[in-house]
Amino acid sequence: MIHVHSPSRSPTPFVPSTDHRLVLTSSKTLGGNPVFTWQDVVSDPANFKQPCKLAKNIPHSLQDYINRMDAWHRSLPGMRTVLEAAIGENTAEDEPNAPPISIVNNFDDEPCPPWEFYYTNFMWHDEGVPPPDMTGVKGCGCYPRCDPRNGSCSCLQKQRSWSGEFTPDFAYDSRGRLKYQNVPIFECNDMCGCDDDCRNRVVQHGRKCAVQIGKTKNKGWGVFAGPKKIYDGTFLGIYSGELLTEEVAEERGKKYNKFGRTYLFNLDFYFLREGKEKEEGKEEEWEPKYVVDAYHAGNFTRFLNHSCSPNARLNAVYINESNIDKPLLAIFACKDIEPGAEICFSYSGNYDDLEEQAERVVKGDAIYERCMCGAKNCTGTSIIVCILLVGLLNMAL
Ligand SMILES: C[S@@+](CC[C@H](N)C(=O)[O-])C[C@H]1O[C@@H](n2cnc3c(N)ncnc32)[C@H](O)[C@@H]1O
């Protein structure tokens, strides 16, 4: 007798949520099915919505549960394994080729950093922060991949126009390493015709180098290179977390300053300020609109400490976003980093206007902490390690 397998419920096709669905503009049909061409996508970018993660939906239950445990349970060595597993699970889809992150502590018994954040590589939009805007995102028509020599790639043209012709070529070399630090980077995006292995797609492919989260002697937790040397220009990760309006960040900053640790970074790049100045002629009035907060959600980059002689640097990167005020904060090595060395960047960029720093302290919106970076050029005293809105990324070329 033949048994026919009859499922209790007939399988239903996967229907993506309306938010992510593309609206077809084509009325052509073939054999009764609509013909969905690449042109349909490109000609209707307004409806090509990016998934938008909302800060209010950060899945924080595991963190809150563990935080409510008593100190003895939280200090069990197994906590380290749980956090390492959570990191792997939360990044398995978006960074499938990233080496796993391990947690090390050679200084004391704390098994892992405090369970106060959800591990994520994404940006989670708070109320008042607009979702990714695709309407102004232009795709290049290059195929199979972009060639900087032919000059017709619209992504390269945009890159050049925003960096004052400072980048004659793509920002990355053929090994995916950043060639020009401190210029806005416009990667090829979902509207582009080029292949996934185009040279102008690096940040979107995620981290490739091995890093560790480790305890430092006197700066809390930090980030260290894994067993292999990390070369100058290598992409490390984006400073992910909640994307807040300046007003919300201001309030949070006051709380963070009370316990002397902060994870807030202004989206304050020199080209945004300059752009607004040209546009509106109101240079004094310009303020950064958005701030990244990695306290409740973030990835390993939230543990990067400050150094007066940094080996990593923040750069503004745009992929599927035409709102110039909302770049990704992408962190790249700016020197070769030996295996096991601590990775740090400068919290103050090269913003060394000490007068203005002093003014912030007088106004009460900044607090100085003794810098423990140990670099030869560190004065130890005059570095802002913890300010209300950190991230004076006011780096001039
Ligand atoms: C973004 S967090 C970095 C990770 C932090 N060390 C931790 O354990 O979570 C920034 C905080 O780290 C500490 N920190 C970072 N760099 C430092 C430095 N050079 N000297 C002293 N403290 C530092 C300060 O408390 C600062 O507010």
Side-chain angles (χ1 to χ4, degrees), residues 219 221 260-263 302 305-306 347 370-372 385:
K219 297 171 293 187
W221 291 86
R261 256 193 311 136
T262 186
Y263 299 88
R302 79 192 279 285
N305 287 315
H306 162 87
Y347 288 4
R370 191 173 165 73
C371 180
M372 303 285 190
V385 168

Side-chain angles (χ1 to χ4, degrees), residues 98 168 273:
R273 191 177 287 268

Side-chain angles (χ1 to χ4, degrees), residues 159 162-163 166-167 171 180-185 270-271 315-316 397:
Q159 170 85 44
W162 273 93
S163 59
F166 186 70
T167 53
Y180 313 104
Q181 296 274 358
N182 206 16
V183 291
I185 299 162
Y270 73 91
F271 62 89
N315 288 272
L397 280 170

Side-chain angles (χ1 to χ4, degrees), residues 331-360:
I331 300 162
F332 293 84
C334 62
K335 288 178 186 161
D336 288 349
I337 306 173
E338 295 302 324
E342 186 176 357
I343 308 176
C344 296
F345 67 97
S346 168
Y347 288 4
S348 51
N350 59 8
Y351 190 90
D352 47 15
D353 184 344
L354 293 176
E355 237 174 71
E356 188 161 334
Q357 286 187 11
E359 202 181 296
R360 291 179 75 103

Side-chain angles (χ1 to χ4, degrees), residues 194-256:
C194 57
D195 277 349
D196 217 29
D197 61 355
C198 165
R199 205 174 91 187
N200 197 31
R201 297 180 188 267
V202 171
V203 168
Q204 58 196 272
H205 289 317
R207 176 177 57 89
K208 303 260 172 63
C209 60
V211 292
Q212 292 181 327
I213 296 170
K215 193 83 188 259
T216 67
K217 195 172 161 202
N218 45 19
K219 297 171 293 187
W221 291 86
V223 179
F224 295 81
K228 286 190 184 155
K229 185 172 179 168
I230 298 176
Y231 289 94
D232 187 355
T234 302
F235 170 62
L236 299 167
I238 66 157
Y239 193 82
S240 59
E242 287 175 88
L243 200 51
L244 310 176
T245 57
E246 214 260 351
E247 297 76 40
V248 173
E250 189 94 14
E251 285 311 306
R252 288 202 191 179
K254 286 179 193 156
K255 288 183 197 149
Y256 298 159

